[in-house]
Amino acid sequence: ETGVTQTPRHLVMGMTNKKSLKCEQHLGHNAMYWYKQSAKKPLELMFVYNFKEQTENNSVPSRFSPECPNSSHLFLHLHTLQPEDSALYLCASRSGTSGSTDTQYFGPGTRLTVL
Amino acid sequence: KQEVTQIPAALSVPEGENLVLNCSFTDSAIYNLQWFRQDPGKGLTSLLLIQSSQREQTSGRLNASLDKSSGRSTLYIAASQPGDSATYLCAPQGPAFRYNFNKFYFGSGTKLNVKP
């Protein structure tokens, strides 16, 4: 158990559906991340939040909409996705302090399949 | 943008061998560099973190070195075991301005298979 949980663990959705991924961390961290991991591609950073402020949007299509209501929770709202969006979506957290040497802690991921 | 390359992409060895996994990155202005392990279909687990001022870190059978100026890091695994089978990912952190201290860039990883 890493202290970062993600729900659901598996999700199958059609292209017209709307769904949300949830991430929760119990580590007292202030930085939270969404990553996308597609088959045979490097882990892609999608969004970074630091103290609830979005500090990074890595040119992610608007069909992915993040939300960070507090430092412990991070959501990824999904709508009108494409089959190529099928991937493992990973959430991570970190202390968020400048110059900190602590690691990122990852959740187990949500395996998303878009039909 | 930081580009990270890991060589080899895949490695299959018999149990007991000593291994070297390589990582190179294009921007040397990094805060730290981390090595992670990922088991199939799961999240990442941190193995070692090397600060930019350090040259190496050790944890058990693992030793990671960092040559920041040349943009290289290596992960050395001693006396490999079947339980070491996983994908190993290298992730430089930074570069060091604004909020980039919170950004990690990942390579594609080295998929390791240790045969009994």
Side-chain angles (χ1 to χ4, degrees), chain B residues 59-95:
Chain B
S59 176
R61 295 182 293 107
L62 304 179
N63 175 278
S65 67
L66 174 64
D67 184 344
K68 184 181 162 184
S69 60
S70 68
R72 295 179 188 277
S73 178
T74 60
L75 179 67
Y76 178 81
I77 303 176
S80 59
Q81 302 171 357
D84 295 330
S85 298
T87 297
Y88 290 80
L89 296 159
C90 162
Q93 177 188 356

Side-chain angles (χ1 to χ4, degrees), chain A residues 6-9 11 21-23 33-38 43-44 46-47 60 63-64 76 78 81-92 106-114, chain B residues 42-43:
Chain A
Q6 290 187 243
T7 54
R9 295 293 309 276
L11 178 62
L21 309 185
K22 179 182 177 182
C23 175
Y33 305 72
W34 279 118
Y35 288 92
K36 175 184 178 182
Q37 188 173 39
S38 306
L43 206 61
E44 300 173 63
M46 299 176 72
F47 302 103
V60 181
R63 59 185 182 270
F64 295 91
L76 188 63
L78 316 171
L81 295 191
Q82 305 297 313
E84 59 265 29
D85 297 322
S86 299
L88 182 67
Y89 287 85
L90 292 163
C91 173
F106 281 80
T110 294
R111 173 66 64 185
L112 174 67
T113 302
V114 182
Chain B
K42 297 191 177 180

Side-chain angles (χ1 to χ4, degrees), chain A residues 31 33 35 37 41-43 45 48 50 53 55-56 88 90 94 96-104 106-108 111, chain B residues 1 4 31-32 34 36 38 41-46 49 51 89 91 93 98-108:
Chain A
Y33 305 72
Y35 288 92
Q37 188 173 39
K41 291 179 68 176
L43 206 61
L45 179 66
V48 182
N50 197 42
E53 177 189 350
T55 58
E56 183 73 22
L88 182 67
L90 292 163
R94 188 174 166 272
T97 303
S98 174
S100 160
T101 60
D102 61 305
T103 185
Q104 286 185 100
F106 281 80
R111 173 66 64 185
Chain B
K1 180 185 174 183
V4 183
Y31 263 113
N32 306 306
Q34 285 194 261
F36 290 89
Q38 185 176 28
K42 297 191 177 180
L44 280 65
T45 302
S46 178
L49 183 150
Q51 298 179 45
L89 296 159
Q93 177 188 356
R98 269 194 82 218
Y99 285 111
N100 281 321
F101 62 84
N102 264 330
K103 290 178 68 171
F104 292 77
Y105 299 85
F106 285 84
S108 296

